[in-house]
Amino acid sequence: MTVRRMQDEIIRLKKEKDICILAHSYQAREIIEVADYVGDSFQLSVKAQTAPQDTVIMCGVRFMAETVKILSPHKRVILSHPDAGCPMAEQMDVDLIRQLQANNPGAATVAYINTTAQLKTVCDVCVTSSSAVKIVRNMAADKIIFIPDCNLGAYVQEQVPDKKLILVHGGCPTHAKMTEEDVLAAKKAHPDALFLVHPECTREVTKHADYIGSTSGIMDYAKKSEAREFIIGTENSIAEHLQYECPDKKFYVLGRDLVCHNMKLTTLPDVYGCVVGTAGCDIELDGDTIAAAGRCIDEMLRLG
Ligand code: 13P
Ligand code: SF4
């Protein structure tokens, strides 16, 4: 089957079977073209709540599909590839968080949305890259344990200096690969380009940024900007999508292997298999986990 034919079949079948396809912006172009909604983690969480369909296929990684299930427990939620996990989401365990809480009485616990549903059950509120600063600023607590991404946490701390954030040593392996040397070399090669970067990068990288934001934030900024050239400091698919959508502008990446291989596990045939019913995996969470993790995500939607 050709790519075009497979896409047409997916579109036909999803309508026939009342399926909503959500895709994170790190997915490949041919998947994005068959999705009902594409966005960053926060936008996908909001869409998950309002989508009218009874079945949702999440083309992304496991914590994103779990978020959909937590927000809509009555829906069937299918993760596009059973092995697509986010390594950062599994870097901590519940005991470690409880220990941090015991050592810091009175502190609230903020979980980046890139965490398992299990971890969210012992936290107070979730944040995404696009909502973290606003939510931390709006929280009543002055002392905050922030898990698991210390780069995002350090960025939030800078933006909200009146609160005390307690950080742990965690983060994204893909963004951790980007170095200050990469940035300086890219800026030297493209002196007129603006540098747009994700807050999961280290401070050495983000300190050179013209703009720091989520995947959607970076895309919106580049599309609206009067500038013609951009260096993109996040997973390379964002530069690819931008180049496709803005052919009159130029987009440069910081390195060739800045790829999230978990996000890229999902292929168009996987999505086709999900709508046919032969691929993907159903997300199952018990009622207690849904209730406890749900409080954390509801608080994010309320404050963000
Ligand atoms: P966004 O919320 O910015 O899309 O980030 C998700 C993610 O996993 C970035 O690596
Ligand atoms: Fe997780 Fe990093 Fe991949 Fe995002 S890019 S899904 S944080 S491993």
Side-chain angles (χ1 to χ4, degrees), residues 24 26 40-42 63-64 112 114 129 175 198 200 214-215:
H24 186 265
Y26 288 161
D40 64 19
S41 308
F42 188 75
F63 79 81
M64 295 176 175
Y112 190 21
N114 298 39
S129 57
H175 287 83
H198 198 281
E200 286 178 16
S214 72
T215 51

